[in-house]
Amino acid sequence: MSTYEILRERFAPVFARIAAGAWDRDRERVLPVEPVAWLDAERFGALRVPTERGGYGASLETVIRLLVDLSAADSNVGHLYRSHFGFAETLFWQPDDVRTRWYARLVAGETVGNASTERGGNALGELNTSLRRDADGVWRLTGEKYYCTGTIYSTYTRVSAQVTGPDGASTGERQFAVVRVDADGVRVHDDWDGFGQRLTGTGTTEFEAVAVDDADVLPRVKGTQEAVHEAAFFQLVLLAVQAGIARAARDDAAALVAGRKRTFNTGSGVPFREDPLIQAEVGRIAAQAFAAEAAVVAAARALDAAWDACAVRFSNEPGDVPAEAYAAELAVEAAHVSVPDLALGAAQALFQTVGASATSSAKGLDRHWRNAQTVATHNPIAFRARSLGDYYINGTTPEGLSAIGDAVRGGSTASPLASEELKENA
């Protein structure tokens, strides 16, 4: 069996338990703390940790396929691991002592959330969250973040911050600070109010003079292999979540039709499960789910090829990025333009299978559309389509702004694919 098949068998019982309570949690707005604990106990977060470091050593394709499976069970749970796996990807470019420390934590079942995006008031390229040394030489982190997906469930969170001097003035440098979620001065709020993906913990986190160990202040450099790779990976996880939603819509449509006894006076008179028109409707949903997952898996394979190329030509220097990494970016962009429509189409067509009874709030089938639409809004599809078109017309390599903030009139028109903040937005 392939590594994916082996790991699918390992995690399938947990995924099934998660799926069994997904609608109840969504309806009652119960955070999936227990399901996350089940996964952490199975070291799900150690998928990308090398086997020699105690992890599963899974390929990116395997990780993405497992995230599709998990998202089909509960898209909220698949989504909230996005930040953790994104952080795990960056460890490849860290010094050995950093990798050793963090791999041990991941193997122990500890996880990392994200706190990168600020809700507003920061100029593009700047952050209001500050990281500066106090009089005793200790790094102190202060600020407020939003879209902190996964942080409420995590052991740690990774925070993007502006480095400031003793006088509070910016040095022009930005870094990542990784802090424990239960550290003094950290406050996590469950205030995400989106109509979909309501349980991802995508709300506010506050930091008040939080002490940060020197070893947990990590570099953040635009245009490196790490930045390009991680940006594409972050986006691909969102697409895996959408593919999982499409699969869930397919399975719910098939189950609805299979159990349907009533028919319409305008129908053929045969049971819905035998009606060719209804069969065709479910078939179209199945085709949309298949196409979404196929696009996601193809992009994951391109990202695996990029990973291999980076391993051969390892570098931390800006601009020293192998062609395979940009090819993977373009593959993710192509998937980004197509997968959201496929997932939304599957979720919408679900209501065409059995009519008005599918809209019953007791069934909760609307959550598939709400969740797919919410994930689809994370990064504007128009920007991805423009970048993709620019490449095929003019050969322009995707280039990121490396920031989110208030725009400046006449500013850069670069694609946001490699943005350090946008890729982590929820």
Side-chain angles (χ1 to χ4, degrees), residues 157-395:
T157 191
R158 184 178 66 166
V159 189
S160 59
Q162 195 81 38
V163 179
T164 60
D167 60 353
S170 172
T171 65
E173 180 185 13
R174 283 180 287 168
Q175 300 277 43
F176 282 122
V178 189
V179 298
R180 288 191 65 92
V181 172
D182 60 1
D184 290 342
V186 179
R187 293 183 296 277
V188 183
H189 303 278
D190 179 26
D191 59 350
W192 166 239
D193 63 353
F195 62 65
Q197 297 297 91
R198 297 189 292 188
L199 309 178
T200 56
T202 305
T204 303
T205 305
E206 298 176 275
F207 306 91
E208 182 61 41
V210 180
V212 186
D213 190 286
D214 280 2
D216 291 328
V217 176
L218 305 178
R220 179 189 179 285
V221 183
K222 175 184 175 182
T224 60
Q225 291 181 2
E226 175 190 353
V228 172
H229 174 83
E230 189 189 10
F233 177 81
F234 260 91
Q235 184 54 40
L236 187 56
V237 172
L238 291 180
L239 300 178
V241 172
Q242 291 176 303
I245 293 170
R247 188 197 293 176
R250 177 201 68 189
D251 293 345
D252 279 352
L256 279 172
V257 171
R260 173 88 175 190
K261 293 182 179 179
R262 296 175 65 247
T263 188
F264 293 95
N265 65 337
T266 53
S268 62
V270 301
F272 265 38
R273 65 180 178 276
E274 298 174 12
D275 191 306
L277 296 178
I278 302 300
Q279 290 173 346
E281 196 66 50
V282 175
R284 279 188 282 270
I285 295 172
Q288 289 170 313
F290 173 84
E293 188 165 351
V296 166
V297 171
R301 289 173 180 164
L303 209 55
D304 268 324
W307 176 272
D308 292 341
C310 287
V312 170
R313 200 175 104 197
F314 180 85
S315 172
N316 275 320
E317 296 299 316
D320 189 9
V321 180
E324 290 87 348
Y326 290 118
E329 280 193 274
L330 291 164
V332 172
E333 286 194 330
H336 183 108
V337 175
S338 57
V339 169
D341 282 345
L342 292 166
L344 284 165
Q348 178 68 34
L350 170 60
F351 295 97
Q352 305 305 314
T353 57
V354 295
S357 64
T359 67
S360 168
S361 59
K363 290 185 171 68
L365 299 175
D366 61 302
R367 75 184 189 277
H368 299 313
W369 184 90
R370 288 189 286 104
N371 290 336
Q373 183 62 74
T374 301
V375 179
T377 63
H378 279 65
N379 291 282
I381 294 172
F383 291 164
R384 306 296 192 182
R386 184 214 63 79
S387 177
L388 199 61
D390 192 16
Y391 171 77
Y392 281 104
I393 295 168
N394 302 310

Side-chain angles (χ1 to χ4, degrees), residues 26-174:
D26 187 88
R27 181 180 63 246
E28 303 297 331
R29 206 185 183 285
V30 175
L31 297 180
V33 174
E34 191 174 31
V36 171
W38 299 337
L39 289 165
D40 290 346
E42 293 291 334
R43 300 183 305 121
F44 185 70
L47 285 174
R48 285 287 284 166
V49 176
T51 53
E52 63 270 20
R53 303 279 190 148
Y56 293 108
S59 68
L60 285 161
E61 179 185 342
T62 291
V63 171
I64 291 300
R65 292 179 70 182
L66 288 170
L67 285 173
V68 173
D69 295 342
L70 176 56
S71 298
D74 187 333
S75 61
N76 290 275
V77 181
H79 188 166
L80 68 86
Y81 275 95
R82 178 186 182 223
S83 304
H84 172 82
F85 284 117
F87 174 78
E89 287 300 292
T90 69
L91 294 176
F92 175 75
W93 284 273
Q94 297 300 324
D96 187 65
D97 62 320
V98 175
R99 292 200 305 273
T100 297
R101 183 171 65 257
W102 280 103
Y103 282 152
R105 290 171 176 173
L106 271 51
V107 167
E110 297 184 332
T111 52
V112 182
N114 121 76
S116 282
T117 304
E118 295 173 358
R119 214 165 188 179
N122 63 300
L124 187 65
E126 296 289 329
L127 294 169
N128 294 326
T129 302
S130 66
L131 182 67
R132 66 174 173 174
R133 290 193 185 275
D134 63 17
D136 296 324
V138 177
W139 285 110
R140 295 287 177 179
L141 177 70
T142 298
E144 181 178 302
K145 299 289 188 177
Y146 195 64
Y147 300 113
C148 299
T149 303
T151 290
I152 200 168
Y153 305 100
S154 300
T155 321
Y156 302 87
T157 191
R158 184 178 66 166
V159 189
S160 59
Q162 195 81 38
V163 179
T164 60
D167 60 353
S170 172
T171 65
E173 180 185 13
R174 283 180 287 168

